[in-house]
Amino acid sequence: MRIDSPDNPKVRAWRQLSQHKGRQEAGLFLVEGPHLVEEAIRTGAGVESLLVESGRDISPFIRSSRLPVVEVSARVMKALSETVNNQGLAAICRLPAGEGPTPKAGRFLLLDGIQDPGNVGSMLRTAAAAALDAVVVGVGTADPYSPKVTRASQGAIFRVPMAVGSVEEWLAGLRAAGVRCLAADGATGRDFRELGRLESFGLVIGNEGAGLRPEVLALCDERVRVPMPGGIESLGAPVAAGILLYGLVLGPGNMLDGRQA
Amino acid sequence: MRIDSPDNPKVRAWRQLSQHKGRQEAGLFLVEGPHLVEEAIRTGAGVESLLVESGRDISPFIRSSRLPVVEVSARVMKALSETVNNQGLAAICRLPAGEGPTPKAGRFLLLDGIQDPGNVGSMLRTAAAAALDAVVVGVGTADPYSPKVTRASQGAIFRVPMAVGSVEEWLAGLRAAGVRCLAADGATGRDFRELGRLESFGLVIGNEGAGLRPEVLALCDERVRVPMPGGIESLGAPVAAGILLYGLVLGPGNMLDGRQA
């Protein structure tokens, strides 16, 4: 199949995938560029079709997937792409169906109202790298299937299970499963090194500006913080989440050196 | 003093501070917003004058500094600001004079060709929080006194000593001082947990896309990496730097759990 016109009905339909509503109605999302497309294929995500700009090569790996290819004109690719220098390749993927992850013993990151797509993508990347059991994408958090988050995640959306839902319900479920629930806080709370390595935890990161909601704090066992001896007020959500997650997964617990922020 | 017109010669001169050349020629830089202005005052940075938009209040803390205030119109503030919603307050600061930090025993972060201002700002923030001795801002790295970096640093530029210079010369100097020089690498190198807590180190972070230059690698003792059991290729410079710096400063060295990426 080959599509030349941006007015083609299929192209019009794919353009709706840049919006949350369009993705939900179609049950599809679009990822751009060789790295994301290869990650989608490699991880067995449900790729419906590949969109390849006329005259562009695709890698032997992508070719060997034998997925349906739609050849599109440069104008069509430009209409679908959110980047200035699109790389002439995209994939239409199916949103995960079925129940998805549920609360249980394990290691979980919960994002509560993280608005910046770059921050959400970065934290998904860290969660995937640290091999967490799932990331809970709470209400008010940027949609992980939006173009900006998929790009910032560098494909981590395909590597870590995600649950879109209520942070409060998840916290209640985790606590019922005996999982220790921690709220990341820049100012107060226990130095994360005191916790050491935890086989099970739920770590909540709150909104970049407003911080943690009282309803969420009420459901957590305690607050946890990264010590900041240098007199800085906060580290930014992705860096703080990275240090905390790696600390809880790898466990620097017994290395306290007496320096307190 | 009060300035109403964006064409005023002083305003024209301040506008040059948005560019590297203009800052170097004037020996000045400009920071925006109450948080950065308060950090400048609190840390004893050389504030030449405060620019306050007509009708805006300033905090008692800023008022108590007794620094010279220039009242400016909303049009002038808009002409000087890089943000859409400027907060009606800025400060003209003097670039640090004198020699600045030099290589010696201690804890150092070296940025080699980090182009994204947000990444530079974020890493300055982490370096300040971890109370490093200095950050070396190498050639090709975004200017730490540019508006985007000062903003992303959230004032960390006032909290951590910075040296703008050659990463190679610094590495040579650190090695001569007996400091272990480490190159952050996503793919290969020693698991940072094996290093434990180090009283002295130089950690180099390379360009976001191209990675570490061979000239830099040749001057480092070894490569160091964050383990990524989840199959992700890299974490992004600010998150990787955060985990490595906190690991080396706080030391998770003896907590190896056998899981290798």
Side-chain angles (χ1 to χ4, degrees):
Chain A
M1 184 160 65
R2 185 187 153 97
I3 302 178
D4 283 323
S5 166
D7 292 325
N8 179 290
K10 273 201 172 281
V11 179
R12 285 168 181 265
W14 290 331
R15 287 182 71 163
Q16 301 303 316
L17 303 181
S18 67
Q19 303 300 317
H20 180 78
K21 185 162 170 256
R23 289 190 291 275
Q24 291 302 314
E25 287 178 359
L28 299 171
F29 66 106
L30 182 150
V31 297
E32 277 186 56
H35 179 66
L36 284 175
V37 171
E38 290 188 3
E39 281 290 277
I41 296 170
R42 196 174 286 126
T43 57
V47 178
E48 196 184 75
S49 54
L50 301 172
L51 312 184
V52 183
E53 192 177 307
S54 306
R56 296 272 192 147
D57 275 337
I58 54 176
S59 69
F61 173 73
I62 293 176
R63 195 176 303 277
S64 72
S65 72
R66 298 174 183 272
L67 287 161
V69 171
V70 182
E71 189 182 333
V72 299
S73 65
R75 282 167 64 221
V76 167
M77 191 56 84
K78 197 178 166 198
L80 292 172
S81 174
E82 294 236 331
T83 55
V84 181
N85 296 306
N86 77 64
Q87 296 165 285
L89 179 67
I92 307 292
C93 306
R94 286 182 286 278
L95 288 174
E99 200 184 351
T102 49
K104 59 173 187 194
R107 289 160 165 164
F108 298 90
L109 174 67
L110 300 91
L111 306 180
D112 188 46
I114 306 288
Q115 292 175 312
D116 182 274
N119 285 351
V120 173
S122 177
M123 288 190 273
L124 288 170
R125 213 168 151 185
T126 307
L132 297 195
D133 290 284
V135 175
V136 177
V137 180
V139 178
T141 295
D143 183 343
Y145 298 103
S146 66
K148 280 184 181 153
V149 176
T150 61
R151 203 159 55 240
S153 87
Q154 298 257 331
I157 53 157
F158 300 118
R159 294 268 181 193
V160 64
M162 297 189 292
V164 178
S166 156
V167 167
E168 286 96 320
E169 284 176 22
W170 261 85
L171 286 171
L174 288 173
R175 285 173 66 112
V179 175
R180 196 157 168 184
C181 292
L182 308 165
D185 192 309
T188 61
R190 199 200 283 222
D191 184 330
F192 77 101
R193 295 174 290 171
E194 293 172 22
L195 293 166
R197 182 169 181 275
L198 297 179
E199 290 296 333
S200 270
F201 65 81
L203 176 68
V204 188
I205 310 286
N207 176 269
E208 296 96 333
L212 295 156
R213 289 184 293 130
E215 305 91 297
V216 164
L217 276 173
L219 286 161
C220 288
D221 294 292
E222 62 187 322
R223 301 186 200 216
V224 61
R225 72 185 169 85
V226 175
M228 291 179 278
I232 286 284
E233 281 170 31
S234 76
L235 280 166
V239 174
I243 294 167
L244 292 172
L245 284 178
Y246 265 83
L248 297 172
V249 169
L250 306 178
N254 59 353
M255 300 297 288
L256 282 168
D257 62 357
R259 275 208 296 181
Q260 299 290 329
Chain B
M1 185 160 64
R2 186 188 152 97
I3 301 177
D4 282 323
S5 166
D7 293 325
N8 180 290
K10 274 201 172 282
V11 179
R12 285 168 182 265
W14 291 330
R15 288 182 70 164
Q16 301 303 316
L17 303 181
S18 67
Q19 303 300 318
H20 179 78
K21 187 161 169 258
R23 290 190 291 276
Q24 290 303 313
E25 287 178 359
L28 299 171
F29 66 106
L30 183 150
V31 297
E32 278 185 57
H35 179 67
L36 283 175
V37 171
E38 290 188 2
E39 281 290 277
I41 296 169
R42 195 174 286 126
T43 57
V47 178
E48 197 184 75
S49 53
L50 302 172
L51 312 184
V52 183
E53 192 177 309
S54 305
R56 295 271 192 148
D57 275 337
I58 55 177
S59 69
F61 173 73
I62 293 176
R63 194 176 304 275
S64 72
S65 72
R66 299 174 181 271
L67 287 161
V69 171
V70 182
E71 189 183 333
V72 299
S73 65
R75 281 167 64 221
V76 166
M77 192 56 85
K78 196 177 167 199
L80 292 173
S81 174
E82 295 236 332
T83 54
V84 181
N85 296 308
N86 78 66
Q87 295 163 285
L89 179 66
I92 308 292
C93 305
R94 286 182 286 280
L95 288 174
E99 202 185 350
T102 49
K104 59 173 187 195
R107 288 160 166 165
F108 298 90
L109 174 68
L110 300 92
L111 306 180
D112 189 46
I114 305 289
Q115 293 176 312
D116 183 275
N119 285 350
V120 173
S122 176
M123 288 191 273
L124 289 169
R125 212 168 152 185
T126 307
L132 297 195
D133 290 285
V135 175
V136 177
V137 180
V139 178
T141 295
D143 184 343
Y145 298 103
S146 66
K148 280 185 182 154
V149 175
T150 60
R151 202 160 54 241
S153 86
Q154 298 258 332
I157 55 157
F158 301 119
R159 293 268 180 193
V160 64
M162 297 189 292
V164 178
S166 156
V167 166
E168 286 96 321
E169 285 176 23
W170 261 84
L171 286 172
L174 288 174
R175 285 173 66 114
V179 175
R180 196 157 167 184
C181 293
L182 308 166
D185 192 308
T188 62
R190 198 199 285 223
D191 184 329
F192 77 102
R193 294 174 290 172
E194 293 173 22
L195 294 166
R197 183 170 180 274
L198 297 179
E199 289 296 333
S200 270
F201 64 81
L203 175 69
V204 189
I205 309 286
N207 174 269
E208 295 96 333
L212 295 156
R213 289 183 294 130
E215 306 90 297
V216 164
L217 276 174
L219 286 161
C220 287
D221 294 293
E222 61 186 323
R223 302 186 197 216
V224 61
R225 73 185 168 82
V226 176
M228 291 179 279
I232 285 284
E233 281 171 32
S234 76
L235 281 165
V239 173
I243 295 167
L244 290 173
L245 285 177
Y246 264 83
L248 297 172
V249 170
L250 306 179
N254 60 353
M255 300 298 289
L256 282 168
D257 60 357
R259 271 209 300 180
Q260 299 291 326

